[in-house]
Amino acid sequence: MQAKTRASLGAGEVKLGAGARTYGSYIDGKNIAEDQWVYVVDAAALLDDAFSSLTLKRKLEKGYVPARELPPSIVGRVAKAGPQTVQLALEAAAEAAPEWGATPLDVRLDRMCALLHRRIAERADEIEEILVQEGHPRVLARWQVSGMLECWGPESVGFYHAQLHQEFRHGAREISVRRRPDGVVCLNPPQNAPMASALLGVHAIFAGNALVVRAPRSGPLGVMYALQELVAPVLAEVGAPPGTLGVVCGDPGPMLNAWLASPLVDDIMYFGSSEAGIRFQERCVAAAKKPILELAGNDVVTVWKDADVELAAEALTEGFFGSGQLCMIPNQVLVHPDVADRLLEELIRQTRRIRPGHPGDEGVLLTPVLRNEKFFSCLDEALLHGAELVCGGHAMRVDGTRDGAGIFLEPTVVLVRGLTDARRMTAVRHETFFPLLPVIVAEPDDDERLLKRFIGFVNSNGYGLRNSLWACDRTVIDRFVDRVTEGGLLKVNDSHIGFLPYLPSHGGTGLTGGVFGEANYPTLRTTHVQGVSVAPAGIRPRDAVFGTGRRSA
């Protein structure tokens, strides 16, 4: 669907500028206009003049703007779905699910993934630009695109296929263990990474489910673009029923309530805070829906005494990417006392490279933090409990100048001496979601006891998204890998946030994934195991019961 066609959809009296995108609700393979629209403002314009940009957005959404050409700062609009449209999306998905679930795996997984991987590669620059328009720094936009490509590369697809279907021969029987789709899966992506999270949900389609996605009002453009222009054409090419994918934009409360109340919905993928997610899990269970939770992370990076300090510090700076407003970044550092001073020195040096700016500028890694009072409250509490400020601790403007009214925050490191009382601090105990990194230096002790304490500290974290270790001693590495049981992902001597084939990008235990939490392979989480035995020529039942299994005469 070309931009010109998109811009003509239900244009009414408002004329969008060249290159702006318009998306209706996507139901049963059709683009449906609505009476209400959500307008999307370019993130750079918001930084330059937030008041004027937001005023124009509000006037547009209330219908107060007369017919005229809109400024380039309005980069798109998305239809806001009403209750009837939300219901139509569920009905179309329920109609499509049985047929799509019966489609051969090599079509809905292997072929579809290959086509989607090629489409994303071909449109990588366009995807990057839309992410930048929504406020993602260009470097992080490229990181997200790399994750999309890695998740659908041939190595990962081969792994998914092997997990979804295995075949065996047992005498005259053909035995298979396979995962069958749950049916209709609904996805509620987060505000901080809606496009990438919506595409994560597409894995449920590969598993044979129909998928309905809510595009968040705060960032609907990337979700609509990715699903309508990347995924929908691929579904059509492989012959999927039109209702296999539905996309609607709306407020989370009413839409989640509609999903919970609908007998057509089987699974709900929910992204949000741990507190809200655990409550939502209870509502799902009460409504007989499978909850698949992607909640907060509070990841621990452990640095042993023989670690490559320079590389470890580089990985730790990932904790400041996106101003800490990403769930899968380092949130706290546990360091051996022998190497603590060198690590802090190197971390301070590398942190100076992390800077604010417009999202489209090369090298920018910080994003605005709109409610920074929580940052200062958390920092003050840590200092009150004995933490020491190592660097940062101020608000600043887009150009990096310190300003108490600035909407950017300096990357901030605090030193916490000792494991014993570290979790008294909110900055250690909970995910903070801003650029504040506690470095916890363990009390000096015998290495054997220290390693045991380190492993115990990591396993006792209430959250469990991902953890990582920096060490050279293979004995230490093996013991850490064998005994760290919490979390959906564990990495050693590597980027904490980098994507790899085979491994999950999301998922975790505890407050990260709820009581059903684990590594999140959506193809597995939205399916259930079924065992199948086929005896083409027939088996005498009496023989089968008594274990001979001979072929009938």
Side-chain angles (χ1 to χ4, degrees):
M1 191 186 296
Q2 298 301 312
K4 192 171 183 181
T5 305
R6 288 196 304 269
S8 67
L9 177 66
E13 293 188 350
V14 176
K15 297 179 181 178
L16 295 176
R21 302 169 182 273
T22 290
Y23 295 101
S25 299
Y26 188 74
I27 311 291
D28 207 21
K30 304 179 186 67
N31 216 296
I32 301 174
E34 305 276 357
D35 294 332
Q36 291 183 282
W37 297 86
V38 175
Y39 285 81
V40 181
V41 181
D42 190 297
L46 283 171
L47 284 178
D48 291 336
D49 189 349
F51 179 79
S52 297
S53 297
L54 292 175
T55 298
L56 175 59
K57 173 180 166 67
R58 283 192 290 268
K59 287 182 176 180
L60 284 166
E61 292 176 356
K62 291 182 178 295
Y64 297 157
V65 175
R68 61 184 176 89
E69 189 80 18
L70 292 180
S73 61
I74 301 296
V75 295
R77 67 173 184 167
V78 170
K80 185 175 182 292
Q84 184 176 2
T85 304
V86 173
Q87 177 62 22
L88 288 174
L90 297 180
E91 291 174 359
E95 179 71 22
E99 180 182 344
W100 179 242
T103 302
L105 189 58
D106 60 351
V107 174
R108 57 179 162 83
L109 175 65
D110 301 43
R111 186 174 175 221
M112 188 176 170
C113 282
L115 291 171
L116 188 54
H117 186 276
R118 184 174 68 192
R119 197 169 183 85
I120 290 172
E122 291 171 349
R123 296 198 174 198
D125 292 343
E126 190 173 52
I127 298 169
E128 180 185 314
E129 287 305 319
I130 291 174
L131 287 168
V132 168
Q133 287 176 343
E134 288 194 325
H136 300 263
R138 190 171 296 280
V139 174
L140 297 184
R142 292 182 188 136
W143 166 67
Q144 291 185 59
V145 174
S146 74
M148 298 170 195
L149 293 171
E150 201 68 80
C151 287
W152 293 315
E155 301 98 333
S156 295
V157 174
F159 171 74
Y160 306 148
H161 195 124
Q163 293 294 307
L164 289 169
H165 192 95
Q166 298 181 62
E167 295 182 348
F168 311 93
R169 292 301 300 260
H170 182 69
R173 297 179 180 89
E174 300 168 357
I175 292 179
S176 62
V177 178
R178 59 183 185 171
R179 299 193 70 94
R180 303 303 295 150
D182 290 339
V184 174
V185 178
C186 294
L187 170 66
N188 178 65
Q191 298 183 29
N192 63 318
M195 182 200 286
S197 301
L199 286 171
L200 177 71
V202 173
H203 288 247
I205 295 179
F206 305 151
N209 299 286
L211 177 69
V212 176
V213 180
R214 182 189 78 88
R217 289 191 61 182
S218 58
L221 193 63
V223 172
M224 286 294 186
Y225 166 84
L227 297 182
Q228 293 198 38
E229 300 205 32
L230 301 178
V231 179
V234 170
L235 283 168
E237 186 170 346
V238 300
T244 303
L245 174 66
V247 197
V248 286
C249 176
D251 297 317
M255 203 169 298
L256 289 171
N257 289 338
W259 292 348
L260 285 167
S262 174
L264 304 176
V265 175
D266 297 286
D267 302 352
I268 302 178
M269 287 187 68
Y270 177 91
F271 290 73
S273 70
S274 291
E275 183 180 9
I278 297 303
R279 291 198 302 266
F280 185 72
Q281 172 182 261
E282 296 172 356
R283 296 179 65 196
C284 284
V285 172
K289 315 295 181 192
K290 181 193 288 185
I292 302 170
L293 305 182
E294 282 296 337
L295 309 178
N298 191 20
D299 297 5
V300 182
V301 178
T302 301
V303 181
W304 196 243
K305 67 178 185 180
D306 61 349
D308 185 317
V309 168
E310 182 178 351
L311 294 182
E314 184 177 326
L316 295 179
T317 63
E318 295 171 354
F320 303 125
F321 289 8
S323 292
Q325 297 175 114
L326 300 168
C327 65
M328 58 181 65
I329 59 171
N331 291 99
Q332 54 189 289
V333 188
L334 184 57
V335 59
H336 193 290
D338 289 1
V339 75
D341 290 342
R342 287 196 294 126
L343 180 70
L344 282 169
E345 182 181 348
E346 183 62 27
L347 180 58
I348 293 169
R349 185 183 72 81
Q350 296 203 34
T351 295
R352 294 194 184 105
R353 303 173 183 173
I354 310 293
R355 63 181 181 85
H358 288 81
D361 295 344
E362 289 290 348
V364 168
L365 284 168
L366 296 178
T367 53
V369 180
L370 300 182
R371 298 186 62 183
N372 63 23
E373 68 275 5
K374 291 185 177 181
F375 165 81
F376 289 107
S377 175
C378 187
L379 176 59
D380 289 345
E381 188 226 41
L383 299 178
L384 183 65
H385 281 94
E388 303 167 29
L389 183 63
V390 176
C391 64
H394 295 84
M396 55 183 172
R397 303 174 190 164
V398 68
D399 63 0
T401 304
R402 284 183 173 177
D403 183 344
I407 61 172
F408 289 89
L409 294 170
E410 291 178 337
T412 301
V413 177
V414 295
L415 172 62
V416 180
R417 297 187 185 275
L419 276 71
T420 306
D421 296 323
R423 288 210 174 107
R424 293 174 59 201
M425 304 175 190
T426 299
V428 176
R429 189 169 65 255
H430 294 300
E431 180 191 54
T432 56
F433 226 58
F434 32 70
L436 174 60
L437 185 65
V439 177
I440 307 163
V441 181
E443 301 89 341
D445 203 346
D446 172 79
D447 279 351
E448 177 65 22
R449 286 192 293 268
L450 269 182
L451 182 57
K452 184 176 181 180
R453 291 190 69 197
F454 278 21
I455 292 170
F457 187 88
V458 173
N459 279 333
S460 63
N461 182 11
Y463 301 78
L465 183 55
R466 53 176 68 186
N467 296 299
S468 58
L469 167 71
W470 285 87
C472 293
D473 187 331
R474 187 70 204 207
T475 302
V476 171
I477 293 172
D478 290 344
R479 187 165 170 191
F480 198 88
V481 169
D482 289 342
R483 300 197 180 192
V484 170
T485 58
E486 295 305 308
L489 187 67
L490 173 59
K491 300 182 79 175
V492 178
N493 296 332
D494 202 347
S495 162
H496 192 83
I497 66 172
F499 299 101
L500 290 171
Y502 314 113
L503 297 183
S505 59
H506 290 69
T509 55
L511 293 174
T512 292
V515 296
F516 306 106
E518 60 177 328
N520 193 352
Y521 297 93
T523 51
L524 305 182
R525 298 290 300 280
T526 60
T527 55
H528 50 275
V529 176
Q530 183 183 65
V532 177
S533 174
V534 176
I539 296 289
R540 186 181 296 279
R542 183 176 295 274
D543 291 340
V545 170
F546 294 106
T548 59
R550 292 178 296 179
R551 181 180 182 276
S552 60

